[in-house]
Amino acid sequence: MRKPDVSALLGLMHRRPWLFAGVSLGGLVLAGVLLLCIWAALLYPMLPDLDKVTDYQPRQPLQVFTRDGVEIAQFGSERRVFLPIDRIPKMMQDAVVSVEDARFREHGGVDPIGIARAFLANITPGGMRQGASTITQQVARNFFLSSKRTLDRKIREAMLAVKIEHQLDKDQILELYMNQIYLGHRAYGFGAAAQVYFGKPLDQLTVAEDAMLAGLPQNPGYANPITNLDRAVTRQHVVLGRMLATGVITQTQYDEAKAQKLVIRSENQVAVHAEHVAEMARQIVYQRFGEQAYSEGYKVTTSLLATDQQAAWAALRRGVLDHERRQAWRGPEDQEDLGDDTGDDEDQAAQILKDQRDDDDLRVALVLQASPSKVEAVLATGEKVTLEGEGLRWAKSGLSPKAPDTLAVRRGSVIRVSKADKGGWAIAQWPQAQSAFVSLDPATGRVRALVGGFDFTRQQFNHATQAWRQPGSSFKPFLYSAALEHGVQPATVVNDAPWPVGADGWNPQNSDGQFDGPLSLRRALAKSKNLVSIRLVQYIGVDTARQWAGHFGFDVDRQPSNLTLALGAGSTTPMQLATAYAALANGGYKVDPVVIERITDAQGKVVYQAPPPVPLTEAQRIIPARNAFVIDSLLNEVARSGTAARAQAALKRPDIYGKTGTTNDAVDAWFAGFQPSVVAVVWMGYDDPRSLGSRESGGGASLPIWISYMDRVLRNVPVHSYEPPEGVQQVNGEWYYSEYAEGGYVTQIGLDDAAGAASGASGAEAASAPAEPPPAASAASHP
């Protein structure tokens, strides 16, 4: 056997070194490829099954909607709106493919051309670093692998991509990618991202908005429009350039998209504020399904109407803030030491305010300079504002050089500011009072709007359903309703005279501090006379009145068993009171309030359905139709000429009914009322019961909220008139039960012997004998 000529080989290497370098490099590459192939062959059997992608079960949050389909909340670690590929707009698909993987439709999971292009870009001085992962590789990584940049992971990623391409078609792969990819701010998938960043469905986005979202996968935390709009726009322009280069859009579309000014949804912005209802829904679903409630895609449809709910929320917020403006200045929320160097004010403000809870109406601000005539401050957003003139009036006591530390507004003070009605900014403060609002359909009990408090993020307690408070005079209509069944009629005259103080020292007063003497029942309710209600309850009997109130759904055990019942000294919730007023609005029928209409799973299967509304038949009757009709006529008078006269005057319609309610020392302020198609109740008070103010009342604090809501929801609603039911007649402009049209009813209470009545005389002794009906009352009203 001939031996190799080593010297000749060495000579050749010396003469042609490049040849041997190439051969050596080729050998190394070949060896490397061989090793990779062996490694891949060993790894392939150990690759995970593809069940996660072939049987895709995305983690979908619990979603809560209004009756008319507006989302009000999501619960879960991931925001996701799963969309099948045929519901993802073609423009959105093409935008993603053009920038993430232009050859997606051609390669088999791994793109050699893309790898070569990325390699050259990455080794070229000054070149932009590029990745070479295809969309399929990204799917493999998102579902099965970590994000660690190791050779082992890249090989597994490539092999999984090839395996996925063999089992799924391109549309299925793209569907997985576009629903699973993380896009910032807890948004997974492009359907959720469209809602998070633009507040609208994916199919309503423009080309410019599509490009903005398509740019997010590369670095969603660094360059999203909420975190950093400038970086997001830069990335958007890159996407638009790729869309133009790949023929997805025309030059005209490109120019228009670059010129479009994007409106980005703020992080806390929601279409409809219904946080307390959303929490009610969350609790119900969690009780039924446990932790699965937050990942299995359950959807809750509530009874709320989006327009009604937003009108109620806005009205309540405005009403509480109006009440707060009538209170004294309490001082800044905090005081920070900024030092004398103003050069780093901006950085200090950003650090101080970043953890402060901002608000759409009451903006948190840090005072930079303060004097009695001008305050300069910076908002959490970095915007600088100046407050002058009327904008400082509220905090005048804190701007005095001699102001006590607790009230003083000076450099470093953390305060609240709000947009003034006439423009500019005004100093404000976070309200301490709370409020609740409930409206419902009196024919079905379906709740149209519910607001459980001023701000859910600070106070999760639901005052609309959980706060048991004294209803005050808003309870009187139910006492009057009881009296109608005992021979008392609207024309009955009751003595509005001082109550003789007995051994117990009880000395009830009227809210206006006046005693008007004999008054018809109609005028007494319109003027909300306490002494009349006391004598009325005494006449029919306390226990009789309590039991009658129970017909309306009030908890009898929560109502006092003495004459304080006449003053509304028991307890009720806004929801319970609204349900009771619904019976007056619908002609005397019981309805059960409904907030949760339906719960479905991710496949749309109904797992809970509220019972359908029950027809209002005699089986649901709780009071006679004529009783409800006559009480309605009295409540109409209250809203026309009584303590709630502002209601009809402001709304400019006659079909408004309601009653104010104010407890002792204005601890609770109510308004409960209705138009025949909608009942609404407003409450205002403090969590720790105390006076709202010496001049506060239901008519001043709660009625404006009710009016604001009704003004919105009654637009284009025709005026409704109640038809008189059987068993009532009108005589000389006043309504009577038919058997009393010719007389025979109780004509007066407490006039012959008020003192005897007060000390415990029987109803027969306190009331005069029946007589003929009186002439028409000047204040009589027709429903």
Side-chain angles (χ1 to χ4, degrees):
M1 184 176 180
R2 187 176 177 181
K3 295 182 179 180
D5 189 343
V6 176
S7 60
L9 185 61
L10 291 172
L12 181 62
M13 290 175 60
H14 181 72
R15 292 192 302 273
R16 299 179 180 177
W18 55 269
L19 176 62
F20 280 88
V23 170
S24 300
L25 180 61
L28 290 173
V29 171
L30 183 62
V33 170
L34 182 61
L35 286 173
L36 286 175
C37 290
I38 295 172
W39 193 359
L42 293 172
L43 283 176
Y44 194 84
M46 295 185 289
L47 292 177
D49 292 333
L50 299 186
D51 293 348
K52 284 185 178 181
V53 294
T54 57
D55 183 24
Y56 181 45
Q57 300 293 329
R59 289 177 61 87
Q60 298 185 63
L62 167 63
Q63 293 176 276
V64 186
F65 298 89
T66 63
R67 191 192 321 176
D68 41 352
V70 177
E71 183 182 274
I72 57 178
Q74 282 194 24
F75 296 96
S77 59
E78 300 178 2
R79 294 175 177 171
R80 181 179 280 107
V81 179
F82 177 78
L83 295 172
I85 193 66
D86 58 2
R87 289 181 54 199
I88 299 176
K90 184 69 162 52
M91 183 64 74
M92 187 73 253
Q93 296 180 41
D94 290 344
V96 170
V97 170
S98 68
V99 73
E100 287 295 321
D101 187 2
R103 287 175 29 82
F104 172 67
R105 299 286 178 181
E106 285 76 48
H107 63 66
V110 179
D111 185 11
I113 296 176
I115 293 173
R117 184 177 60 248
F119 176 76
L120 290 174
N122 291 337
I123 66 173
T124 301
M128 181 177 292
R129 294 187 61 82
Q130 295 183 14
S133 291
T134 64
I135 283 177
T136 314
Q137 286 176 269
Q138 292 183 58
V139 168
R141 181 167 68 247
N142 288 333
F143 278 91
F144 300 105
L145 303 171
S146 73
S147 58
K148 292 182 178 179
R149 293 179 177 273
T150 63
L151 180 61
D152 178 71
R153 193 218 75 189
K154 293 298 293 183
I155 293 173
R156 290 174 184 269
E157 178 185 293
M159 294 172 64
L160 278 168
V162 173
K163 188 175 182 180
I164 290 170
E165 290 269 353
H166 282 132
Q167 296 197 31
L168 300 176
D169 63 34
K170 292 292 186 179
D171 279 348
Q172 290 174 313
I173 295 169
L174 190 58
E175 178 181 280
L176 289 169
Y177 179 80
M178 297 193 74
N179 280 288
Q180 185 70 15
I181 192 74
Y182 178 62
L183 298 171
H185 290 276
R186 289 178 43 233
Y188 288 79
F190 287 87
Q195 293 286 355
V196 168
Y197 295 113
F198 300 113
K200 53 187 175 181
L202 194 61
D203 60 6
Q204 294 182 15
L205 299 190
T206 64
V207 172
E209 291 166 338
D210 284 337
M212 176 68 77
L213 295 190
L216 292 175
Q218 187 183 75
N219 195 334
Y222 177 79
N224 71 70
I226 291 177
T227 302
N228 192 305
L229 182 58
D230 290 340
R231 287 196 290 257
V233 169
T234 299
R235 179 64 178 161
Q236 176 211 31
H237 289 174
V238 172
V239 176
L240 287 170
R242 290 295 302 152
M243 293 171 73
L244 179 64
T246 55
V248 172
I249 58 175
T250 65
Q251 183 67 49
T252 299
Q253 288 175 304
Y254 173 84
D255 294 338
E256 291 175 349
K258 283 195 72 174
Q260 181 183 338
K261 181 177 175 60
L262 297 180
V263 178
I264 307 301
R265 188 182 190 186
S266 69
E267 191 168 7
N268 298 319
Q269 184 179 347
V270 295
V272 175
H273 283 278
E275 290 84 355
H276 287 89
V277 173
E279 175 61 13
M280 293 169 67
R282 185 200 66 79
Q283 291 181 14
I284 290 171
V285 178
Y286 183 81
Q287 288 168 5
R288 292 173 66 96
F289 303 108
E291 290 298 326
Q292 291 182 339
Y294 307 130
S295 61
E296 297 297 317
Y298 291 104
K299 294 179 174 60
V300 181
T301 300
T302 68
S303 60
L304 303 183
L305 294 172
T307 300
D308 284 46
Q309 179 65 28
Q310 196 61 13
W313 180 84
L316 183 144
R317 295 269 297 191
R318 190 180 309 113
V320 173
L321 291 176
D322 285 346
H323 170 265
E324 186 61 32
R325 291 187 189 99
R326 297 191 289 269
Q327 311 309 304
W329 171 247
R330 294 191 300 273
E333 294 182 7
D334 201 357
Q335 183 66 44
E336 299 285 344
D337 183 8
L338 298 184
D340 297 328
D341 182 9
T342 60
D344 61 348
D345 278 354
E346 186 173 336
D347 291 338
Q348 288 195 79
Q351 288 299 315
I352 291 168
L353 297 179
K354 70 176 183 178
D355 296 325
Q356 294 282 345
R357 189 170 292 161
D358 209 357
D359 183 81
D360 291 343
D361 300 312
L362 298 173
R363 305 296 305 278
V364 65
L366 181 70
V367 175
L368 302 180
Q369 300 295 336
S371 71
S373 60
K374 184 168 71 172
V375 168
E376 294 180 358
V378 60
L379 306 182
T381 58
E383 178 185 357
K384 291 185 178 180
V385 299
T386 300
L387 294 77
E388 298 177 295
E390 278 296 303
L392 299 177
R393 185 170 61 86
W394 196 355
K396 186 177 179 181
S397 60
L399 292 167
S400 167
K402 297 181 179 180
D405 289 344
T406 55
L407 299 181
V409 178
R410 55 180 180 265
R411 177 173 166 80
S413 294
V414 177
I415 62 172
R416 295 281 165 173
V417 298
S418 63
K419 281 285 189 180
D421 294 337
K422 297 180 180 179
W425 292 89
I427 202 161
Q429 62 187 5
W430 195 270
Q432 293 183 337
Q434 282 289 349
S435 185
F437 183 99
V438 179
S439 74
L440 53 80
D441 183 335
T444 66
R446 263 49 185 178
V447 174
R448 297 172 53 148
L450 187 154
V451 186
F454 181 79
D455 182 77
F456 180 81
T457 61
R458 288 192 174 215
Q459 170 61 282
Q460 288 79 49
F461 183 75
N462 191 335
H463 298 84
T465 60
Q466 298 174 300
W468 291 91
R469 308 293 293 229
Q470 292 187 357
S473 295
S474 64
F475 190 72
K476 289 176 181 175
F478 309 103
L479 306 175
Y480 280 49
S481 171
L484 293 181
E485 300 306 304
H486 291 79
V488 177
Q489 295 292 280
T492 298
V493 175
V494 184
N495 197 9
D496 178 36
W499 190 258
V501 180
D504 57 4
W506 191 44
N507 185 26
Q509 302 292 315
N510 287 318
S511 60
D512 61 6
Q514 304 295 317
F515 298 98
D516 291 350
L519 286 174
S520 71
L521 211 65
R522 179 175 295 279
R523 289 310 303 157
L525 188 63
K527 301 183 75 171
S528 198
K529 289 294 186 174
N530 291 336
L531 276 299
V532 170
S533 295
I534 292 170
R535 290 189 168 92
L536 196 65
V537 169
Q538 186 192 49
Y539 173 74
I540 63 175
V542 171
D543 191 58
T544 297
R546 290 173 75 228
Q547 296 305 318
W548 188 261
H551 294 175
F552 293 90
F554 292 108
D555 186 341
V556 174
D557 291 337
R558 289 181 180 268
Q559 311 311 317
S561 56
N562 54 52
L563 287 178
T564 62
L565 176 72
L567 306 180
S571 295
T572 188
T573 67
M575 177 72 85
Q576 191 179 77
L577 189 61
T579 306
Y581 269 80
L584 299 176
N586 66 26
Y589 300 99
K590 178 182 185 294
V591 292
D592 294 316
V594 171
V595 177
I596 307 301
E597 291 277 9
R598 182 172 59 259
I599 304 173
T600 59
D601 62 17
Q603 289 72 45
K605 178 183 176 182
V606 177
V607 297
Y608 169 78
Q609 179 72 54
V614 178
L616 299 181
T617 65
E618 291 306 304
Q620 281 72 48
R621 181 168 294 286
I622 55 175
I623 61 171
R626 65 179 187 172
N627 186 297
F629 178 83
V630 173
I631 294 299
D632 289 350
S633 80
L634 300 181
L635 292 174
N636 186 255
E637 185 65 41
V638 175
R640 188 188 74 84
S641 68
T643 56
R646 181 178 176 182
Q648 285 195 23
L651 295 172
K652 297 180 173 59
R653 53 190 302 153
D655 57 342
I656 299 297
Y657 309 75
K659 183 70 187 73
T660 54
T662 311
T663 61
N664 279 352
D665 298 323
V667 171
D668 297 281
W670 298 81
F671 187 78
F674 54 91
Q675 189 272 347
S677 66
V678 56
V679 173
V681 168
V682 182
W683 165 84
M684 189 181 294
Y686 290 105
D687 281 333
D688 52 331
R690 55 191 173 94
S691 176
L692 286 164
S694 59
R695 298 184 179 181
E696 298 295 337
S697 66
S702 294
L703 178 57
I705 298 173
W706 191 92
I707 290 173
S708 178
Y709 168 80
M710 285 293 190
D711 181 59
R712 179 65 185 84
V713 303
L714 293 181
R715 293 175 188 175
N716 303 318
V717 175
V719 172
H720 181 280
S721 297
Y722 287 115
E723 290 295 324
E726 291 184 6
V728 296
Q729 291 184 33
Q730 193 176 46
V731 179
N732 295 327
E734 184 57 276
W735 290 100
Y736 297 86
Y737 281 7
S738 294
E739 62 268 33
Y740 299 132
E742 301 296 329
Y745 65 94
V746 177
T747 58
Q748 58 186 41
I749 297 175
L751 268 67
D752 294 340
D753 185 6
S759 63
S762 69
E765 294 171 322
S768 69
E772 298 297 316
S778 61
S781 173
H782 308 285

